[in-house]
Amino acid sequence: MRNRFWTTMALAAIGVTLAGAVPAMASENTAAGTVPWSVSLGTASAAGNRWTETRSTGYGQDLVLNGKLTNTGAGCYSLWAQYWHDFSGTPAAKQVEICGPGTVDVNVRHRYDYMTTGQITICKGTTNTTDCAPWVDVTWWPIGTS
């Protein structure tokens, strides 16, 4: 009985804390419920906005990253993403690449829930993640919703 009382009190305190934090997180969102992201390496940079959307099945959400990958130099660069679900990681996956000067669209969509974390990076070359910028977290709050 005593343990049940303390568990109930702890859960109530967490609920009050979270209820107070939600308005602050929501107010940090930029226009249209999006959150900016960016990463750069050498002559390449990528930037855009991210948000969550209800999946087309109507169940669950997707994390959406839209933007541009730009290169002002002669080399090749690629944008990579890696996700973890419930502490189990997926391999890094190339999302888009560019060789030489120019700009390409970035449109990344991945299943998202409260146990998902994800990161992106830009790497030199197009085949692996051995020479990359530091990974950038794309699931820190506020995530942004549409």
Side-chain angles (χ1 to χ4, degrees):
M1 183 72 161
R2 180 178 232 171
N3 286 341
R4 189 178 305 167
F5 171 78
W6 289 112
T7 300
T8 302
M9 294 302 291
L11 290 173
I14 291 169
V16 167
T17 301
L18 289 176
V22 170
M25 289 189 302
S27 67
E28 293 176 25
N29 282 344
T30 58
T34 65
V35 178
W37 60 268
S38 65
V39 61
S40 62
L41 177 70
T43 60
S45 62
N49 289 301
R50 62 187 171 89
W51 62 88
T52 57
E53 288 181 358
T54 301
R55 300 189 84 180
S56 60
T57 61
Y59 177 75
Q61 295 197 337
D62 283 336
L63 173 64
V64 180
L65 285 82
N66 279 349
K68 304 282 185 190
L69 170 62
T70 302
N71 185 13
T72 59
C76 290
Y77 290 88
S78 49
L79 180 76
W80 294 73
Q82 185 171 23
Y83 299 93
W84 291 264
H85 300 282
D86 195 19
F87 307 109
S88 178
T90 61
K94 182 171 55 173
Q95 304 300 311
V96 64
E97 65 183 56
I98 189 168
C99 289
T103 300
V104 294
D105 289 333
V106 173
N107 296 300
V108 177
R109 182 176 291 269
H110 190 82
R111 178 179 61 88
Y112 179 80
D113 62 33
Y114 67 95
M115 291 297 288
T116 302
T117 57
Q119 298 178 322
I120 59 170
T121 190
I122 291 180
C123 301
K124 287 185 181 178
T126 61
T127 58
N128 59 50
T129 58
T130 58
D131 187 4
C132 304
W135 289 88
V136 174
D137 186 357
V138 291
T139 51
W140 51 268
W141 292 94
I143 194 72
T145 57
S146 60

